[in-house]
Amino acid sequence: MRQLGIAAIVAVLGSTAALAADHSVEIKGMKFSPASLSVAPGDTVTFTNMDGAPHTATADDSSFDTGRLNKGQSATVTVEAGEHTYKCVFHPSMKGSVSAE
Ligand SMILES: [Cu+2]
């Protein structure tokens, strides 16, 4: 029984990984890190704010938006095909890009 259970879990994890991968961007010191990222269409990106100041990651083409992230909060967005520049709505000089091809 125990071995069957583990095999089932591995099968589920394996199929999920084949569909989409998750990538991480840390927001720290008023910067996105990494500031530019290449992913596959449909992959997700998890943004985590390490700063005391609130931030967002808001796509210029409106394809994704984390909403307000306070310190320690994260949000996961799905990336559509294409090149997406994004910024923090509170600090527009904070910029990044995600490209999915
Ligand atoms: Cu900000």
Side-chain angles (χ1 to χ4, degrees):
M1 280 303 274
R2 181 180 161 84
Q3 280 184 328
L4 276 176
I6 290 169
I9 290 167
V10 168
V12 169
L13 290 176
S15 63
T16 302
L19 289 173
D22 185 53
H23 307 264
S24 296
V25 173
E26 196 170 78
I27 313 173
K28 195 173 184 180
M30 308 292 283
K31 287 178 183 166
F32 295 104
S33 178
S36 77
L37 196 61
S38 288
V39 306
D43 279 3
T44 55
V45 178
T46 299
F47 292 89
T48 303
N49 181 17
M50 309 299 286
D51 280 345
H55 297 300
T56 76
T58 304
D60 295 315
D61 62 8
S62 301
S63 61
F64 63 82
D65 188 358
T66 61
R68 178 191 177 114
L69 296 176
N70 293 317
K71 185 175 186 180
Q73 290 186 318
S74 15
T76 301
V77 301
T78 301
V79 183
E80 298 168 5
E83 167 107 33
H84 312 281
T85 55
Y86 63 86
K87 63 178 179 297
C88 171
V89 295
F90 304 124
H91 312 102
S93 63
M94 292 174 60
K95 292 177 179 172
S97 69
V98 184
S99 115
E101 286 165 26

